[in-house]
Amino acid sequence: MKRSTIQDSMFPGCPVRNILARLCDKWALLVIYILDRSGKENMRFMELKQQMPDISQRMLSMTLRTLEEDGYITRTIFSEIPPRVEYALTERAKSLKPILDSLLQWSFEHMDDIMSDRKKTVSVND
Amino acid sequence: MKRSTIQDSMFPGCPVRNILARLCDKWALLVIYILDRSGKENMRFMELKQQMPDISQRMLSMTLRTLEEDGYITRTIFSEIPPRVEYALTERAKSLKPILDSLLQWSFEHMDDIMSDRKKTVSVND
DNA sequence: CCGAATCCGTAAAGATACTG
DNA sequence: CAGTATCTTTACGGATTCGG
């Protein structure tokens, strides 16, 4: 995936934007959300995939690796046949939850306004 | 720019991920941050550019349009020569501030851990 | 001159198809 | 089952041009 780092000379490697950029890609937040609300302690690759019908296996795989790199999930490999890999949220991910919840609530309060604002400017010719 | 919408069948047009994905691109948060801490009521294009030495004019222009589309900033054009365009945060952007601040604080508390976690896995050969 | 729009190139993100 | 190899699309940067 590469997951390149956001860089500029004013805030070299600005942690805020770098952390957020990697969390706010297409799938990462959804993976965290699904792991969280599953109630289970951990989930397997295919379990996650079933909860996300539209994600490709490749993107699920890469998203999980990135989340692991950043310490939001753990990845436990069982050397069995067929292979088994289990994913679980870390404390770091759980500590993010209250903030994500407040963002979620803000989004719900503003989503209609924002989406209709977007249409105003986008659909000049549509 | 295209700024395509995040879509999946489970949460069609999920507002949280869509709102966050557009805010967490390479430059948007920095623009909001600079407008906010400037203290001024509004800023001109070149003023913003000077605060962001690494952004291209193209990306600044596009970022500002997207932020305007989503109602986070206003764009006021003065028909003068040379032309003048002023940008200001809206109430919507300001209402986001407390949440962004808590995210910022969380990022600062965790940045060292996250960045060192990343290095562990990334710099296998570097 | 300021604030873009446009064209073009690169690299990263992401989808489709295949494998140990 | 849990990924990788290959291909397409999008984001982003640089240079140039343009209308006021």
Side-chain angles (χ1 to χ4, degrees):
Chain A
M1 201 182 237
K2 198 59 169 295
R3 288 303 189 205
S4 49
T5 304
I6 291 178
Q7 270 296 357
D8 68 303
S9 62
M10 212 195 167
F11 299 100
C14 168
V16 179
R17 282 183 295 145
N18 272 288
I19 289 172
L20 288 179
R22 284 171 72 138
L23 276 173
C24 299
D25 68 354
K26 191 165 178 182
W27 299 111
L29 283 174
L30 187 54
V31 168
I32 291 177
Y33 175 74
I34 287 175
L35 279 169
D36 178 55
R37 66 148 198 193
S38 74
K40 303 173 186 172
E41 197 48 52
N42 48 55
M43 288 179 80
R44 299 183 59 175
F45 188 93
M46 270 306 162
E47 277 185 284
L48 285 164
K49 176 82 184 69
Q50 283 158 17
Q51 299 291 317
M52 307 165 71
D54 298 313
I55 199 173
S56 62
Q57 292 198 285
R58 171 188 158 78
M59 284 313 295
L60 180 54
S61 179
M62 296 181 94
T63 303
L64 289 166
R65 295 307 178 100
T66 306
L67 288 173
E68 188 200 9
E69 261 184 37
D70 287 2
Y72 299 116
I73 62 174
T74 57
R75 181 162 174 274
T76 312
I77 308 167
F78 297 85
S79 298
E80 307 173 353
I81 297 175
R84 183 163 127 244
V85 182
E86 291 186 347
Y87 296 93
L89 292 179
T90 62
E91 285 309 312
R92 183 178 299 163
K94 289 175 186 166
S95 77
L96 242 186
K97 217 202 150 210
I99 301 175
L100 290 182
D101 284 344
S102 64
L103 249 173
L104 184 80
Q105 199 184 339
W106 186 93
S107 300
F108 274 121
E109 288 166 8
H110 294 263
M111 57 186 271
D112 292 337
D113 293 337
I114 292 177
M115 296 305 161
S116 74
D117 278 353
R118 279 187 200 175
K119 291 207 178 71
K120 273 185 227 160
T121 53
V122 170
S123 60
V124 176
N125 43 6
D126 196 17
Chain B
M1 201 181 236
K2 196 61 169 295
R3 289 299 190 206
S4 45
T5 304
I6 290 178
Q7 270 297 354
D8 68 303
S9 62
M10 212 194 168
F11 299 101
C14 168
V16 179
R17 284 183 294 144
N18 271 287
I19 289 171
L20 288 180
R22 284 171 72 140
L23 277 173
C24 299
D25 68 354
K26 189 165 181 183
W27 298 111
L29 282 175
L30 187 54
V31 168
I32 291 177
Y33 174 73
I34 287 174
L35 278 170
D36 179 56
R37 66 146 197 194
S38 73
K40 303 174 186 172
E41 197 48 52
N42 48 55
M43 288 178 80
R44 298 185 59 176
F45 187 93
M46 274 305 163
E47 278 184 283
L48 285 164
K49 177 83 185 66
Q50 283 157 17
Q51 300 290 318
M52 308 165 72
D54 298 313
I55 199 173
S56 60
Q57 281 196 230
R58 169 189 159 80
M59 284 315 295
L60 180 53
S61 180
M62 295 179 93
T63 303
L64 289 166
R65 293 306 180 103
T66 306
L67 288 172
E68 187 200 10
E69 261 184 38
D70 286 3
Y72 298 116
I73 61 174
T74 57
R75 183 163 173 274
T76 313
I77 308 167
F78 296 85
S79 299
E80 307 172 355
I81 297 176
R84 182 158 60 102
V85 182
E86 291 186 347
Y87 295 93
L89 293 179
T90 63
E91 286 309 312
R92 181 178 299 163
K94 291 175 186 166
S95 77
L96 245 186
K97 220 201 148 211
I99 300 175
L100 287 182
D101 283 343
S102 64
L103 254 170
L104 291 209
Q105 201 186 337
W106 187 93
S107 300
F108 277 121
E109 288 167 8
H110 294 264
M111 57 185 268
D112 292 338
D113 294 337
I114 292 177
M115 296 305 164
S116 74
D117 279 352
R118 277 188 202 175
K119 289 204 179 76
K120 273 182 225 160
T121 53
V122 170
S123 60
V124 176
N125 45 7
D126 195 18

